[in-house]
Amino acid sequence: MTRLESAMDLDTGAKSESNVDAQTLYDKCLALAGNLWWTWHPELDSLFRDLDPIRWRQLDHNPVALLREFTPDRLSQRAAEMVLFSRINYAYRRLQEYLNDGQTWAATNAGVLGAAPVAYFSAEFGIHESIPIYSGGLGVLSGDHIKSASGLGVPLVAIGLFYDQGYFKQHLDDEGWQHEEYLDTKVENLPIEPARCPDGEPITVSVETRDGKVFAKVWLARVGRVRLYLLDCDVDGNSPEDRELTSRLYGGDERTRIRQELMLGVGGVKALRALGIRPGVYHLNEGHSAFGPLEVVRERMHHDGMTFDDAVREVAQQTVFTTHTPVPAGHDRFSADMVEEHLGPLRDELGISYEQMLGLGRVEPQNDGEPFCMTVLGLKLSRRANAVSQLHGHISRRMWAHLWPWRVEEEIPIGHITNGVHVQSWLAGQMKQLYDRHFPQGWIERMGEPDVWQDIHGVDPGELWETHNTLKTLLLAFARRRVSRQCRRRGESDEAVDAARNVLDPNILTIGFGRRFATYKRANLIMSDIDRLSDMVNDAERPVQFIFAGKAHPKDEPGKQFVQSIANLRHDPRFAHRVVFVEDYEINVCRHMVRGVDVWLNNPRRPLEASGTSGQKVVLNGGLNCSILDGWWAEAYNGANGFAIGSGISHTSDEITDKRDAESLYQTLENEVIATYYDRDLDGLPRGWIKLMMNSISTLAWRFSAHRMVMDYTRNSYVPAAGGLSCDMDFR
Ligand SMILES: *Cc1c(COP(=O)(O)O)cnc(C)c1O
């Protein structure tokens, strides 16, 4: 037994608090920090913060790093000063109960997965800001998916890559131009440990290519009841280039990409085998991991003596593929040479020809001009496929219709399961307390059900409004702190830093816009008519203010220009005090924003936003969405739970679409959003607005929760795939 494991067995409930020995207390804290369960329990967040509030912030809210700065004795001393003993013991006991609880939703609804878990593949996982192995929406979605799988007790293991530099940190210079900084992550500060085989040996996997083997070690992170395995190519035996293969997310060239994806898919399947895990279902998120099923096919052929075709049929039956983007550049495509160099040895073992292999990644297998597309491969190797919103389902069926030329569009076998967010991760503690006071007991366990949320209509409007305004004040304080720090970093004058400390006003309607600065998201749509924007921002009676945040991809020059045009509004006296750009958008910045904004603005070029999830986080906290009818909002908006921009129709010309959408954006803001927000009764309450907040919470929170999403996946995809129910996907 390791020290940590023996610490897990201790029960100090009977001893008096002062007798708890320092080492035991320290080990309990380590155990709490060592399971990412803590990230969705605000009481643990505040527990760690109370140990040292300043270092907590400086260390990016990383409890492992924080605890490394304590000796057991000093921790014990600090716990005595802050009266933390019973909080630590209570949290520790709750974690143990959670891990051992057999009475979960999945125990009754997904028994078939018990012996054969779901293997969930994703190239990124956004679980917490202290573990920088994500870049944006896909990562946060994957993180939320596995947190809800944990909550529901769905037997699931997750596979990803360990990026030791992760995604970049964003800094803007004087001209508002984005610069990228990559920091090395200190592994010893992360809640990960080497994954071990059943016999206790640390696991290494290798994948053969035409020019040698690539090796990876495997890390284990615990996310509640879910185990997340991360492959890391920084190991002895790899060439210097291969050691850096998994340094950065979405970095490097075509060759880096295909080698990363080879490791994620094929290496991931090998890692599962080494761990002794036999999945009942393979869930591929995006094409990145689509090589994985080929390794499973090889295994079947080798062990069970099947033919290639029979093995593919069986493996596809167990495979679920989710496509996450309708943006063409979002689908990886590789040249034939790249595929042969990296998949050649596996192809030999599968006994298929060069042409057959390439055909698996092509819509028209014989078309030599067509590159090898990972999404096509994923669709061909899975019997169940889905998009991530209703509208994205329509778009995806149209987009991939030529894969099934004999079918009409409605019969293309790509369904949809709309994305959702992990409620406990995004819901502010203050709002949760309000729900706790008014919702049925145990509502957290049942948050994927509609009834639970209806009680919001019984809440006193003043109470809801006040809670929201508390959260808004916290956001504004956060934004000021960040903006003044940014000024200081750029070496600006003391007056400038001071001015930054006083931007924004809690009495003004606050609109937030935080997301990747991909150009289709049109961050600068609001700037189409700068005078009109100025009139709105500076209105004497009914002003508005904006908080922007977002990173452009390092190679996306137009995206960086969008960042620049918005960041530079601070040099314009009309906007300096009311439009701010918070640098380095990541989970922590997002969390502050979605909790405190009055309105969340989303104006992508329809239909390019597959789902979007940030607006769902806003719903939970009482903010309202003002969005183009794209992605999740196209099915969420009902006329009385937020605001719609445009009518849900796009023109074939982008220029005309942008013009129309900008006009509609201004009109919606002027005539609906601003008007409703400032329409106050004698008590100063915006009754109409609060009604919209309640409608938004009651109609949307449960539907766009990750619990509902994971229940849908479990019922409609995982259980049928594991149980061998056939499904209609006839490729050959
Ligand atoms: C939720 C989240 C996203 C996804 O937001 P979209 O609405 O899909 O743009 C991206 N980045 C971070 C850090 C998030 O927390």
Side-chain angles (χ1 to χ4, degrees):
M1 235 196 276
T2 66
R3 217 179 63 205
L4 202 70
E5 283 159 347
S6 60
M8 302 243 192
D9 277 349
L10 293 172
D11 181 4
T12 50
K15 294 187 194 171
S16 85
E17 290 198 342
S18 56
N19 282 342
V20 178
D21 94 87
Q23 187 64 51
T24 307
L25 192 76
Y26 190 78
D27 287 345
K28 284 187 175 178
C29 286
L30 277 183
L32 288 168
N35 190 318
L36 290 156
W37 178 80
W38 77 262
T39 61
W40 64 93
H41 290 84
E43 64 278 16
L44 275 159
D45 190 278
S46 54
L47 179 77
F48 292 131
R49 173 174 292 120
D50 286 347
L51 288 175
D52 189 336
I54 293 171
R55 289 302 287 154
W56 179 245
R57 184 178 293 170
Q58 288 169 344
L59 292 168
D60 241 355
H61 309 154
N62 179 337
V64 177
L66 185 75
L67 288 170
R68 281 167 54 86
E69 299 187 350
F70 279 86
T71 61
D73 283 334
R74 206 168 84 64
L75 182 85
S76 179
Q77 216 177 340
R78 180 70 183 163
E81 283 162 26
M82 299 297 294
V83 210
L84 301 177
F85 292 107
S86 60
R87 281 164 67 193
I88 294 170
N89 283 324
Y90 179 67
Y92 179 80
R93 241 184 349 260
R94 287 224 9 233
L95 172 60
Q96 299 312 309
E97 281 164 15
Y98 178 80
L99 295 176
N100 297 321
D101 183 6
Q103 306 286 312
T104 62
W105 176 85
T108 36
N109 291 278
V112 61
L113 300 172
V118 177
Y120 182 97
F121 286 79
S122 179
E124 43 173 316
F125 286 89
I127 296 162
H128 188 258
E129 57 267 27
S130 63
I131 313 171
I133 56 170
Y134 67 94
S135 77
L138 176 66
V140 175
L141 178 84
S142 302
D144 280 5
H145 190 106
I146 65 176
K147 288 173 183 174
S148 278
S150 169
L152 293 163
V154 176
L156 181 145
V157 294
I159 319 288
L161 296 176
F162 180 74
Y163 306 95
D164 54 14
Q165 294 190 332
Y167 206 49
F168 66 91
K169 291 215 168 280
Q170 178 195 51
H171 302 297
L172 304 189
D173 63 22
D174 265 347
E175 271 89 59
W177 194 251
Q178 169 180 302
H179 295 265
E180 297 95 28
E181 181 188 16
Y182 290 90
L183 299 177
D184 284 320
T185 309
K186 289 203 181 75
V187 170
E188 63 274 21
N189 281 349
L190 295 182
I192 59 175
E193 59 193 84
R196 293 172 191 280
C197 311
D199 69 6
E201 278 301 300
I203 290 173
T204 312
V205 296
S206 68
V207 180
E208 192 96 47
T209 71
R210 284 279 185 235
D211 52 12
K213 281 185 176 172
V214 188
F215 296 90
K217 61 186 166 192
V218 184
W219 297 101
L220 163 64
R222 298 169 201 273
V223 184
R225 300 175 178 118
V226 168
R227 288 170 173 240
L228 166 60
Y229 295 101
L230 300 166
L231 285 83
D232 179 355
C233 289
D234 185 15
V235 290
D236 295 339
N238 275 344
S239 67
E241 302 90 80
D242 283 342
R243 291 194 77 134
E244 292 187 6
L245 200 54
T246 51
S247 290
R248 297 178 180 183
L249 265 132
Y250 308 136
D253 53 13
E254 188 192 7
R255 197 151 186 281
T256 312
R257 291 299 296 258
I258 197 170
R259 288 169 93 83
Q260 283 189 341
E261 297 184 6
L262 184 69
M263 192 46 84
L264 176 63
V266 176
V269 169
K270 290 187 169 193
L272 289 170
R273 191 179 315 136
L275 287 158
I277 297 169
R278 299 190 122 258
V281 181
Y282 296 87
H283 184 181
L284 314 177
N285 284 279
E286 221 47 320
H288 308 131
S289 50
F291 291 134
L294 290 176
E295 170 63 16
V296 187
V297 167
R298 190 196 63 74
E299 197 177 13
R300 287 289 153 81
M301 292 172 68
H302 186 74
H303 281 196
D304 308 338
M306 286 182 162
T307 65
F308 176 75
D309 285 343
D310 286 346
V312 166
R313 204 165 295 124
E314 282 220 352
V315 171
Q317 165 59 36
Q318 284 183 284
T319 305
V320 177
F321 180 76
T322 302
T323 174
H324 291 264
T325 178
V327 180
H331 300 267
D332 278 320
R333 290 181 166 84
F334 296 116
S335 65
D337 288 352
M338 279 293 156
V339 175
E340 177 58 17
E341 181 187 343
H342 293 96
L343 275 297
L346 179 57
R347 174 174 79 68
D348 293 343
E349 293 201 53
L350 294 171
I352 58 174
S353 69
Y354 175 81
E355 288 75 23
Q356 249 181 311
M357 180 74 203
L358 291 175
L360 290 171
R362 287 180 180 150
V363 176
E364 297 171 48
Q366 321 298 340
N367 180 356
D368 284 342
E370 192 183 322
F372 186 96
C373 174
M374 295 300 282
T375 304
V376 173
L377 179 67
L379 287 168
K380 290 195 180 186
L381 293 178
S382 58
R383 285 261 145 185
R384 284 174 184 77
N386 69 280
V388 292
S389 72
Q390 193 175 45
L391 178 61
H392 182 224
H394 288 297
I395 301 299
S396 299
R397 285 190 286 281
R398 191 179 315 156
M399 195 165 168
W400 301 108
H402 36 308
L403 271 173
W404 294 267
W406 55 92
R407 290 188 164 206
V408 298
E409 202 173 293
E410 298 75 57
E411 288 177 355
I412 298 301
I414 303 177
H416 77 273
I417 294 177
T418 305
N419 286 343
V421 295
H422 184 246
V423 171
Q424 289 151 287
S425 293
W426 299 104
L427 176 61
Q430 292 88 337
M431 196 59 82
K432 178 174 180 294
Q433 282 166 14
L434 180 140
Y435 295 158
D436 284 342
R437 285 195 295 276
H438 298 278
F439 288 7
Q441 241 199 336
W443 72 272
I444 278 279
E445 262 69 59
R446 301 181 22 227
M447 64 186 141
E449 302 167 24
D451 326 349
V452 171
W453 298 85
Q454 297 317 309
D455 291 350
I456 190 67
H457 292 289
V459 174
D460 172 52
E463 186 186 354
L464 181 59
W465 186 240
E466 200 151 296
T467 308
H468 165 67
N469 281 308
T470 306
L471 295 172
K472 178 172 172 180
T473 309
L474 291 174
L475 166 63
L476 300 191
F478 172 79
R480 288 184 189 130
R481 206 158 61 226
R482 282 298 183 99
V483 175
S484 61
R485 200 169 84 190
Q486 290 164 199
C487 286
R488 214 174 312 119
R489 189 189 296 114
R490 282 190 291 257
E492 292 180 15
S493 67
D494 289 347
E495 294 97 80
V497 176
D498 267 349
R501 249 188 230 119
N502 292 302
V503 292
L504 305 175
D505 177 340
N507 298 309
I508 294 180
L509 170 62
T510 303
I511 300 178
F513 183 103
R515 46 182 51 81
R516 288 184 303 116
F517 269 48
T519 45
Y520 79 85
K521 296 190 185 236
R522 299 186 298 190
N524 59 354
L525 191 69
I526 188 85
M527 292 173 63
S528 309
D529 182 343
I530 203 78
D531 294 326
R532 197 162 171 186
L533 178 63
S534 169
D535 288 347
M536 235 186 309
V537 166
N538 295 300
D539 190 279
E541 241 109 82
R542 308 184 311 174
V544 292
Q545 58 192 7
F546 289 88
I547 302 177
F548 282 93
K551 296 174 179 175
H553 188 278
K555 290 183 186 147
D556 180 8
E557 293 287 312
K560 289 186 179 184
Q561 282 161 12
F562 281 16
V563 170
Q564 183 175 39
S565 61
I566 289 167
N568 280 350
L569 289 176
R570 74 194 184 94
H571 298 308
D572 183 332
R574 293 177 295 174
F575 301 109
H577 55 312
R578 289 200 179 145
V579 180
V580 302
F581 188 96
V582 175
E583 293 175 14
D584 203 35
Y585 185 63
E586 38 72 271
I587 287 178
N588 184 40
V589 173
C590 180
R591 192 192 294 116
H592 279 90
M593 288 178 77
V594 298
R595 288 175 177 182
V597 293
D598 295 308
V599 172
W600 192 245
L601 179 62
N602 180 38
N603 46 35
R605 194 176 287 138
R606 192 177 192 268
L608 295 182
E609 191 65 87
S611 167
T613 53
S614 52
Q616 303 169 346
K617 304 167 189 168
V618 170
V619 165
L620 302 170
N621 294 294
L624 295 179
N625 280 274
C626 176
S627 171
I628 294 276
L629 291 165
D630 194 12
W632 77 287
W633 193 239
E635 68 198 80
Y637 176 67
N638 71 358
N641 57 4
F643 305 98
I645 304 167
S647 54
I649 305 168
S650 309
H651 197 274
T652 47
S653 148
D654 284 350
E655 208 186 317
I656 294 176
T657 303
D658 291 357
K659 227 188 196 127
R660 287 184 185 165
D661 287 348
E663 178 58 31
S664 173
L665 166 61
Y666 289 123
Q667 286 191 12
T668 307
L669 288 178
E670 291 159 355
N671 303 339
E672 298 179 49
V673 179
I674 297 173
T676 315
Y677 183 84
Y678 285 107
D679 180 13
R680 305 297 168 104
D681 70 3
L682 291 173
D683 299 326
L685 290 181
R687 296 269 169 185
W689 188 273
I690 297 170
K691 184 73 192 152
L692 289 176
M693 290 167 72
M694 291 178 171
N695 291 346
S696 164
I697 292 166
S698 70
T699 61
L700 304 175
W702 68 272
R703 244 177 99 195
F704 300 99
S705 68
H707 270 50
R708 189 275 311 148
M709 169 178 74
V710 172
M711 291 194 288
D712 281 353
Y713 273 104
T714 304
R715 281 190 287 240
N716 302 334
S717 298
Y718 298 160
V719 169
L725 287 184
S726 72
C727 164
D728 201 18
M729 291 253 307
D730 45 0
F731 278 111
R732 40 192 93 67

